[in-house]
Amino acid sequence: MEVASPSVQAATPALFRSLMSGFPSGVAIVTAFGSDNRPWGMTCSALCSVAVEPPTLLVGMRAESPTLAAALHTGRFSVNLLHAGAQGTAELFASGAPDRFDLVNWTTPADAAGSHLTDAARSVADCRVTQNVQVGGHRMVFGEVYQICEQAVAEPPLLYGLRRFGTWPTG
């Protein structure tokens, strides 16, 4: 049996996007408060756990993002992990609509680092910025998780891959 040779190509931005679209990930909305206490937020799938002790997340954000600017200014941010029914909220926060916080329910519990999206999140991690690194047009922000808010939601996580939203099958 003869096996076809794989195609090897130079890594271009388009080819890299295609590569990563085949690696589904969870969907989160990162939120932070600006210097004027205004809420900022953005949809993010560039998120991973780094360590359990201390509990640390890594979040990738565009270098020009106002959410990034707010998180770096205050030294804190929240990561809202979305449930399967929150696709509309993920799309809203990806759109950059200036009134996005007027269109969703959110709260700020005691000592929260950013807005908690009460109807969209399965859980929320509040983080302190411990370091950040510039990579291309993005900043990789390390956040030590100092509190976690678990929502009472039975829906599975919202996923994104192959340039579309999805979730795990039930049953």
Side-chain angles (χ1 to χ4, degrees):
M1 182 163 139
E2 195 169 319
V3 177
S5 305
S7 169
V8 178
Q9 303 172 48
T12 63
L15 192 55
F16 185 72
R17 273 189 208 92
S18 178
L19 170 78
M20 293 313 297
S21 77
F23 185 71
S25 63
V27 183
I29 294 177
V30 176
T31 60
F33 291 107
S35 58
D36 59 355
N37 216 28
R38 176 182 174 188
W40 292 95
M42 57 169 270
T43 300
C44 176
S45 60
L47 167 73
C48 68
S49 62
V50 175
V52 174
E53 253 185 70
T56 304
L57 295 174
L58 173 68
V59 178
M61 295 187 258
R62 278 182 312 102
E64 306 83 32
S65 166
T67 305
L68 171 64
L72 294 179
H73 176 77
T74 62
R76 299 174 1 142
F77 61 94
S78 294
V79 177
N80 292 264
L81 302 178
L82 302 187
H83 60 70
Q87 178 178 336
T89 303
E91 291 169 338
L92 173 66
F93 277 77
S95 76
D99 62 344
R100 61 193 143 208
F101 281 97
D102 297 332
L103 302 174
V104 297
N105 291 324
W106 58 279
T107 187
T108 309
D111 205 26
S115 305
H116 288 203
L117 305 177
T118 53
D119 293 339
R122 288 176 51 83
S123 55
V124 183
D126 289 303
C127 305
R128 288 187 190 88
V129 174
T130 57
Q131 61 180 302
N132 68 88
V133 178
Q134 183 84 28
V135 179
H138 287 74
R139 281 231 169 244
M140 301 301 110
V141 180
F142 292 84
E144 186 174 329
V145 179
Y146 65 88
Q147 70 181 16
I148 296 171
C149 178
E150 294 286 340
Q151 307 284 19
V153 175
E155 290 194 64
L158 181 62
L159 304 175
Y160 188 78
L162 300 175
R163 296 186 176 92
R164 65 179 183 258
F165 290 97
T167 189
W168 280 309
T170 57

